[in-house]
Amino acid sequence: MGIATAHTVVLAGAVGHRVDVQVDVSMGQVNTLVVGRPDASINEARDRCRTAVDNSGFRWPTTRRTTILLSPADLPKRGSHLDLAIAVAVLVAAEDMAASLAGTALIGELALDGAMRPVVGVLPMVLAARAQGLGHVIVPEPQAAEAALVPGMAVTGVRSLAQAVAVLTGEEVPPAPPVAVVGASPMLGAGARGPRADLDLADLIGVVDARHALEVAAAGGHHLMLSGPKGAGKTSLAERLPGLLPDLDVEEALELTALVSLASATGSGAVEVEGLVRRPPFSAPHHTSSRTSVLGGGSGRVRPGEISKAHRGVLFLDEFPLFHADIVEALRQPLESGEITIARGEEVATFPARAGLVLACNPCPCGEWRPDDRHAACSCTEVARRRYRAKISGPIADRIDITRHVMPVSAWEARDPLAARESSAVVRARVTAARERQRRRYAGTPWRVNADVPGAALREQFPLSEAATTVLDEQLYSGRLTHRGSVRVHRLAWTLADLRLEEPCPPDVSEVRDALALRLGEPLPDASLTRRAGAAR
């Protein structure tokens, strides 16, 4: 008779909390009691663990009182992955085994025969365990490769409770059948969200200023809105943006892979097969998608939505005015902060959501209206056009860095044999170089790209030249820009400077004027495009 403590992790969104499973086996009324705000799946663990312990050749304390405390007691607990920690702690407390559990996190669901089952969110749980000072983790065997992606963690994959006990006691590991992975592979979903490798910027004809806007958005992590009649190429442009982004570094890849693990059906598969997700993701939910699917949520366990699955990549919302109004307005927080918080009852879950947002919309419901063509076949009334455009609210539009009006390619552009068509690889090289300059400039700060830097830090640590500041202030005080808009122009100016110069220096008047044109949706001067291309070469 005694007391034992095992360690595990529970998740609240993408944030992991260490949980100490304390078990006391003592004299008293025979009963097994679980306290510490468990959910239904943990309450059911009493029967699962008892049967798994008996069928694994061990003895559950059936003649004594067993109290299981999940500490801290005020933190809500959910998930069947606590099974392994509960079973092991009970065995140690009942003196059925002698093992040191200090420094080890136990993660895994138990079947009735003692076999291990995969669980959701192993990677973020192992990341949290490392942050809490735990150096060793035991997980179901199929997820050992996923857990091993976390640097500095010793990982042991086991197939059964008996194998886990043998590892902890230093005995010979008994044989066990392989762990069955049920359900569809989450790699199918991850692949569907990934950018297509066959899409190249060189395939597009004309739209020179929109291509330049795409490059600037990729280089600085800026949000982009494309408007224009149907068939102008808005979707084609957006689908090629991920191909301009550089590979994710190790820290970014861990963040994204942890989200893939959280969103997967079983928590295995994608990570087990492919390792870290190194390419930026691409997500394009349909305009009929629900609020939960886009933003996150769900019944039972709160899961990340499409905006979080596109973290460090691209979230493309085509036909943006047709999305539900509550989804449109809920984008305000993630567009500003780079994360989204979902509060539901007593549960609050926060997920990272720093995706580059691309919005696409038509000028009217039928998509035919063209202000420069009096013969356009638009059948919408002016009232209908205004109502359609009003669906993009002012606060949302103010959070978009770049606005481009895309028009269909003219006949002479389509037949121009001398038109320059840079490939995605060429543009990606410039984007990568620009991001490297930003990485050096923001070393030692929490910021990675220009779009991350708050306005106060921009003004104090990374100011514009005096002449450029004067130009920007004129636009601000004339009412053409809000204070938020002036901050975004400031960021854009730095991105343009990063793209044009070998060594970054404070943006000058030319960068600010081009940034203003990008922000306000005005045409870019041909000289600016030529200067940009010449500097890149």
Side-chain angles (χ1 to χ4, degrees):
M1 292 179 284
I3 187 169
T5 301
H7 310 294
T8 187
V9 177
V10 297
L11 296 175
V15 179
H17 300 274
R18 170 174 164 172
V19 170
D20 295 332
V21 180
Q22 297 180 326
V23 175
D24 175 78
V25 178
S26 58
M27 300 301 294
Q29 183 180 7
V30 177
N31 190 18
T32 299
L33 183 64
V34 181
V35 296
R37 300 191 69 180
D39 73 339
S41 64
I42 297 177
N43 279 321
E44 293 170 353
R46 291 177 295 184
D47 298 325
R48 281 199 307 272
C49 292
R50 176 175 178 171
T51 305
V53 165
D54 291 340
N55 290 332
S56 298
F58 305 105
R59 292 179 300 172
W60 187 270
T62 56
T63 60
R64 288 166 287 177
R65 178 183 177 87
T66 303
T67 304
I68 303 170
L69 169 63
L70 308 179
S71 178
D74 62 339
L75 178 70
K77 323 294 189 311
R78 59 168 42 85
S80 59
H81 65 279
L82 277 75
D83 287 4
L84 181 60
I86 291 174
V88 169
V90 168
L91 290 176
V92 173
E95 300 178 358
D96 201 41
M97 59 174 279
S100 174
L101 304 179
T104 299
L106 305 175
I107 300 172
E109 177 186 335
L110 292 176
L112 296 183
D113 59 355
M116 296 287 287
R117 297 288 298 274
V119 295
V120 173
V122 162
L123 182 56
M125 284 191 278
V126 176
L127 286 169
R130 182 187 65 175
Q132 293 292 331
L134 301 175
H136 179 221
V137 62
I138 297 179
V139 297
E141 186 184 58
Q143 297 179 297
E146 178 180 348
L149 294 174
V150 180
M153 286 294 289
V155 179
T156 303
V158 296
R159 297 180 175 182
S160 65
L161 173 61
Q163 288 192 347
V165 169
V167 169
L168 292 169
T169 57
E171 300 176 356
E172 182 179 356
V173 177
V179 177
V181 179
V182 296
S185 170
M187 194 59 202
L188 297 176
R193 292 191 303 273
R196 288 174 50 188
D198 60 332
L199 296 177
D200 197 285
L201 205 59
D203 301 333
L204 301 183
I205 302 172
V207 292
V208 178
D209 61 339
R211 291 159 62 102
H212 176 50
L214 221 62
E215 179 178 343
V216 175
H222 304 289
H223 304 309
L224 171 67
M225 180 163 66
L226 301 172
S227 66
K230 63 181 183 181
K234 303 184 294 297
T235 301
S236 297
L237 284 163
E239 289 176 340
R240 284 158 175 79
L241 180 56
L244 308 185
L245 300 175
D247 288 343
L248 303 177
D249 61 28
V250 174
E251 185 177 346
E252 292 171 332
L254 275 173
E255 288 179 353
L256 179 59
T257 309
L259 287 168
V260 172
S261 177
L262 279 173
S264 64
T266 62
S268 63
V271 178
E272 176 188 350
V273 174
E274 297 293 336
L276 287 176
V277 181
R278 301 306 294 262
R279 286 300 301 154
F282 179 74
S283 180
H286 194 260
H287 63 262
T288 59
S289 299
S290 67
R291 177 190 176 98
T292 298
S293 66
V294 176
L295 304 176
S299 58
R301 181 188 298 272
V302 176
R303 295 181 182 271
E306 293 299 318
I307 191 171
S308 295
K309 295 175 188 177
H311 181 60
R312 300 294 178 188
V314 177
L315 176 67
F316 176 43
L317 301 183
D318 199 5
E319 303 293 348
F320 181 64
L322 299 182
F323 278 80
H324 297 295
D326 57 342
I327 296 177
V328 173
E329 297 307 320
L331 290 174
R332 296 187 190 186
Q333 176 200 359
L335 286 181
E336 199 71 29
S337 65
E339 62 182 22
I340 186 165
T341 299
I342 301 168
R344 191 183 59 192
E346 296 183 353
E347 182 177 7
V348 178
T350 299
F351 298 105
R354 198 169 290 282
L357 182 65
V358 180
L359 308 179
C361 60
N362 296 324
C364 66
C366 75
E368 294 282 2
W369 188 72
R370 303 182 190 181
D372 60 342
D373 186 358
R374 61 183 298 183
H375 301 293
C378 177
S379 58
C380 303
T381 64
E382 181 61 28
V383 173
R385 285 195 289 266
R386 289 179 181 176
R387 187 183 300 116
Y388 181 80
R389 289 192 290 264
K391 292 182 178 179
I392 304 176
S393 66
I396 292 295
D398 201 35
R399 286 167 167 81
I400 303 300
D401 303 302
I402 303 173
T403 300
R404 288 292 89 190
H405 302 293
V406 185
M407 298 303 294
V409 178
S410 60
W412 67 267
E413 285 182 302
R415 299 190 182 117
D416 185 2
L418 301 179
R421 298 183 187 176
E422 290 183 313
S423 67
S424 293
V426 171
V427 178
R428 183 168 61 248
R430 290 201 297 266
V431 169
T432 302
R435 288 209 171 192
E436 177 61 24
R437 294 172 189 129
Q438 295 167 58
R439 186 190 66 80
R440 294 197 301 266
R441 182 163 65 245
Y442 303 133
T445 73
W447 315 311
R448 297 172 182 265
V449 292
N450 293 325
D452 297 341
V453 187
L458 278 175
R459 290 186 294 269
E460 295 174 7
Q461 303 178 40
F462 311 102
L464 301 171
S465 67
E466 184 175 350
T469 301
T470 301
V471 172
L472 186 57
D473 287 345
E474 289 175 354
Q475 300 295 319
L476 175 61
Y477 298 132
S478 68
R480 298 192 73 199
L481 289 176
T482 63
H483 282 280
R484 180 185 286 116
S486 68
V487 170
R488 295 183 182 273
V489 171
H490 193 152
R491 294 170 179 165
L492 283 170
W494 266 109
T495 301
L496 290 169
D498 291 330
L499 283 168
R500 290 175 180 166
L501 301 175
E502 293 183 1
E503 290 300 328
C505 65
D508 210 336
V509 174
S510 62
E511 282 84 15
V512 170
R513 292 194 186 281
D514 288 352
L516 281 166
L518 288 169
R519 165 74 181 178
L520 300 174
E522 298 173 349
L524 284 168
D526 291 339
S528 298
L529 299 176
T530 304
R531 183 168 62 251
R532 183 269 305 169
R537 288 193 292 268

